[in-house]
Amino acid sequence: MPAVSAFLEKMERGVDRTRATHAGQPYATVRQALVLALEEEGARPMVPQVVDELARQISEGANP
């Protein structure tokens, strides 16, 4: 389980960074920033549907 925990931490950092800088912006802009942030954190591979949903929530300003 340490690998899963480490992956989730990387993912959370990428999502938090994107939310802090792109909340409320257009979906396409948020999705692109999110993909980049996740790649920079090393949170790969990502399920495209998960990235889409996270980007939608950030774009709408939703904070789960």
Side-chain angles (χ1 to χ4, degrees):
M1 294 307 276
V4 172
S5 182
F7 175 81
L8 291 175
E9 288 175 12
K10 292 174 185 179
M11 193 172 121
E12 184 175 11
R13 285 192 305 264
V15 170
D16 288 347
R17 282 178 36 201
T18 305
R19 184 173 281 119
T21 58
H22 289 79
Q25 294 188 23
Y27 168 82
T29 302
V30 173
R31 190 177 192 294
Q32 184 177 18
L34 180 59
V35 167
L36 180 61
L38 293 171
E39 287 176 355
E40 288 173 351
E41 291 293 340
R44 288 307 230 174
M46 283 296 301
V47 176
Q49 293 86 348
V50 172
V51 175
D52 293 344
E53 178 60 19
L54 290 168
R56 182 193 64 76
Q57 290 177 15
I58 294 168
S59 177
E60 292 176 356
N63 198 1

